[in-house]
Amino acid sequence: MDGISGGIAVWQAAETAIKTGEQLVARYKAYKHANERLDDLILRIEGIWLRSTTQMSFVRKLPPSENLRLQTFQEECFRRLNVHLQTALVKLADISGQDLAAGINVAQLTIDAPLSKRLKYSLLEKHLKQLVSDLVSWHNTFDPSWYLLARIQHDDVDTLVAKADADHKDESVAVIKQIRELVQQPHTVRRDEKSLFVHSDYLTNERLAIEPTDLNLSRLRQSGQRVLLDTTTYPEGTDQRQAIRFMRGLARLLSSPEISNLSLLRCLGILELDGNNPKTRQYQYIFGLPPQDNPLSSLRAILVESSPSLDVKIDLAKSLAKALTSLHAADFVHKNIRPETIIVLESAHKEKSVPFLVGFESLRPSEAHSSLISDMAWERNVYRHPSRQGLRPQEYYTMQHDIYSLGVCLLEIGLWFSFVDYTQEHGVLPSPALPIEALLDKNNKRQEANEIKDLLVEMAREKLPSMMGRTYTEVVVSSLLCLDKDSDNVFTDSEDLHDEDGIAIGVAFIKHILMRLDSISL
């Protein structure tokens, strides 16, 4: 199938889903003012549907693309959405006992129906809750591919984005517009753009360290809002102008109000620190935290606590994968994913944990070649693919290297063991859960790195199935093998491994990692 045929298929699938959804939403309006609970659910469905139609209408207008994988994936998403909507129509007819096509007022007709009005409203409430759940689940699958649209290199797309942003004022469109501006003109600052660099009096003097990380908690001086401070250091020899461009680009992306829906914290500004070493420069990203003063810890810190419920661990994994997809869609690679760069906001009774990806010290745009210089810290190397270890890594950093790092973190979450122990007496040591001390003594560091990777894969295959199930195990193994060139790698297609705009690897990640995690039901 070529780009034109793919575009027609996407257009048809979107058109069908839009028509079905409009019929369904119109019929729900017959129940408005029936009772407060139904009103709230119908209002929520209308809000979700408004976002859905905005996105599908935009996709329908896109020019034919060479990104057939993205087109095919989105066509499949629209067809699945139509199935959900058609199913909802059938269930609604069963509940009402009426053909709603003529716009009949169901609130009046149900009085004389065989079922009592109260029972019908109870069934309808359950039906509406299920549809809300289905729509939210659908967006969890579709939205990552929506953000990949920002990477399509076509002038017509810019025109469509500008028009859609002006017509709808939808946050999802606004984020696409912002990402495209960052990708295409990363160093341009608009005249009307507020500076993201702030003065030290923007914050109070309060500083609370989050162990065992370099992160700190503070508060905004004026509002008292709790914020997270993420420090990044640029040593001697760094191109400071380029560093500031990278920071400004990330801060602009993360300043969007919708970013909090993507398991990333909203950036409120950047603070330059006064250091004692004139040869280095230090900055702090200032990230806003939710208004509730709930406990906040690093993933490293909570991994040494008692294991949470299975659903909490699955939700952690889903949110982290979602955050990584969002970052990659914006053309950034993280380069530093490990439990020290993941913070977790816990509810009062720890029945729910919300993770956020931070630690952006090494982050850069994906098209900017990373340095082939690294460090030898084993506690960092555990989360690096073997090709990125050592003082002189073999390969430039790519999105797949982030996926590998995520896989190691997902392995730890599944086993609920910290691979790294911080001790006062002996410093940083491998934990008993990660028996690599003998490997660390090898003279051949390349061999050491590959053997540790093999050990992680073995641990995933042998220990995870009984603890987390087959699907979770396959997700972790797929992540750990994402750069291998054998048949066990679900990313083996050359287009997945080496695509210039990153769209193919993005679609592959959504299908093989995100969707599989989302399919896990408890």
Side-chain angles (χ1 to χ4, degrees), residues 170-188:
D170 183 275
E171 278 297 332
S172 60
V173 176
V175 171
I176 289 287
K177 183 172 182 286
Q178 192 171 32
I179 291 175
R180 289 187 69 80
E181 290 175 350
L182 288 175
V183 172
Q184 296 170 1
Q185 299 175 323
H187 311 321
T188 301

Side-chain angles (χ1 to χ4, degrees), residues 12 14 76 79 118 126 134 137 142 173 201 220 234 239 283 291 316 368 382 384 426 429:
Q12 291 174 335
E76 182 181 349
R79 293 191 186 283
R118 178 177 297 180
K126 182 179 180 181
D134 288 343
S137 177
F142 171 75
V173 176
D201 59 3
L220 300 185
Y234 290 98
D239 185 334
Y283 302 86
L316 280 171
V382 166
R384 295 168 176 153
H426 302 291
L429 298 174

Side-chain angles (χ1 to χ4, degrees), residues 438-500:
L439 296 178
L440 295 179
D441 292 334
K442 286 183 174 291
N443 293 324
N444 187 331
K445 294 302 178 183
R446 191 67 58 195
Q447 180 183 355
E448 169 195 308
N450 282 295
E451 289 187 13
I452 290 176
K453 171 178 170 287
D454 292 342
L455 174 63
L456 295 175
V457 174
E458 180 183 350
M459 290 172 64
R461 286 173 168 163
E462 292 185 356
K463 297 183 178 181
L464 280 182
S466 62
M467 302 178 69
M468 300 296 292
R470 178 177 58 83
T471 300
Y472 189 94
T473 301
E474 291 174 351
V475 165
V476 173
V477 172
S478 295
S479 300
L480 295 175
L481 298 180
C482 69
L483 281 158
D484 286 20
K485 294 180 173 60
D486 56 38
S487 58
D488 289 332
N489 182 5
V490 297
F491 297 89
T492 49
D493 191 290
S494 59
E495 186 180 352
D496 287 338
L497 289 170
H498 305 288
D499 62 311
E500 292 183 2

Side-chain angles (χ1 to χ4, degrees), residues 501-519:
D501 54 19
I503 291 178
I505 186 66
V507 173
F509 181 78
I510 294 169
K511 291 176 67 175
H512 299 309
I513 307 301
L514 267 182
M515 288 183 65
R516 303 216 67 192
L517 285 173
D518 199 50
S519 72

Side-chain angles (χ1 to χ4, degrees), residues 24-85:
L24 187 61
V25 172
R27 295 175 188 186
Y28 284 145
K29 290 181 179 178
Y31 288 93
K32 275 201 168 181
H33 312 301
N35 66 45
E36 187 175 347
R37 292 198 302 274
L38 294 184
D39 280 359
D40 288 344
L41 286 167
I42 292 171
L43 185 63
R44 187 174 181 193
I45 289 172
E46 289 177 334
I48 297 174
W49 183 244
L50 179 62
R51 174 191 176 97
S52 305
T53 52
T54 298
Q55 292 175 322
M56 286 189 288
S57 296
F58 179 86
V59 172
R60 287 170 59 206
K61 297 174 183 177
L62 287 173
S65 171
E66 296 180 359
N67 297 292
L68 293 179
R69 288 172 182 251
L70 182 58
Q71 286 184 333
T72 303
F73 178 80
Q74 292 190 331
E75 178 198 354
E76 182 181 349
C77 284
F78 297 153
R79 293 191 186 283
R80 289 188 179 187
L81 175 59
N82 190 55
V83 170
H84 285 307
L85 299 172

Side-chain angles (χ1 to χ4, degrees), residues 115-132:
L115 292 175
S116 69
K117 180 186 288 189
R118 178 177 297 180
L119 178 56
K120 284 202 171 188
Y121 284 174
S122 176
L123 292 172
L124 180 60
E125 182 178 350
K126 182 179 180 181
H127 162 72
L128 293 175
K129 287 180 178 178
Q130 181 60 52
L131 182 59
V132 168

